[in-house]
Amino acid sequence: MKGDPHPQLSIEIQDKPRPPQAMEDIGLGDACLLDALAQFDLYGVWRIDLETGMVYWSRDVFEIYGIPYHDGPVDIRKAIEAYHPDDRALVSSCIEEAAARKTGYRFVLRLQCADGGFKLVKSSGRYRVNQDGREEIFGTFSQFHERVRAVAVIA
């Protein structure tokens, strides 16, 4: 849209979750996938226990947020407060919708930087019942970079 100051911002709620892909079928584990995704860019994973509200981040999520890594849960209120004021309710809404509809979402929204500016981040989340029978949302988190198509010149 012409004149839109934030054309990259987006939110999508999934109507029905896609079936899981079995990594074991091709001889890979989850850690291999995360290592491949994080090979060139910060790429983290996270999990929210819906019963307790506890949030857990991998190391790259901390780095994208610009806060020191620590073991244990993260305060979800502080995590959401780090977003642009106009985007905070959208983040909460995505999590609530995924939990209520037992589905997933993805978004590209603005996260505040230490210098007061904002950067675009991309997150996707998905509902599941874990192996202990607890409901949770889990997903991915990365800094959003617009794709630039490059054409290689072969001499």
Side-chain angles (χ1 to χ4, degrees), residues 62-76:
F62 283 91
E63 194 165 339
I64 294 166
Y65 263 80
I67 60 176
Y69 172 80
H70 65 80
D71 287 331
V74 175
D75 183 338
I76 192 168

Side-chain angles (χ1 to χ4, degrees), residues 20-78:
Q21 300 182 65
M23 303 276 271
E24 300 80 26
D25 292 351
I26 60 171
L28 293 174
D30 295 340
C32 293
L33 177 61
L34 186 57
D35 288 344
L37 289 168
Q39 182 175 353
F40 295 104
D41 298 305
L42 296 174
Y43 199 96
V45 293
W46 54 268
R47 179 178 64 85
I48 301 171
D49 182 316
L50 294 175
E51 184 179 315
T52 65
M54 298 294 209
V55 179
Y56 301 89
W57 290 348
S58 67
R59 188 173 298 275
D60 278 7
V61 177
F62 283 91
E63 194 165 339
I64 294 166
Y65 263 80
I67 60 176
Y69 172 80
H70 65 80
D71 287 331
V74 175
D75 183 338
I76 192 168
R77 290 171 304 195
K78 287 184 181 178

Side-chain angles (χ1 to χ4, degrees), residues 2 11 17 26 32 50 58 97 101 105-106 120 144 154-155:
K2 251 186 181 177
I11 294 177
I26 60 171
C32 293
L50 294 175
S58 67
E97 282 288 314
R101 296 173 62 181
Y105 68 87
R106 69 179 171 181
L120 293 176
F144 179 79
I154 300 174

Side-chain angles (χ1 to χ4, degrees), residues 65-66 111-119:
Y65 263 80
L111 188 70
Q112 190 156 13
C113 301
D115 66 4
F118 292 91
K119 59 183 165 185

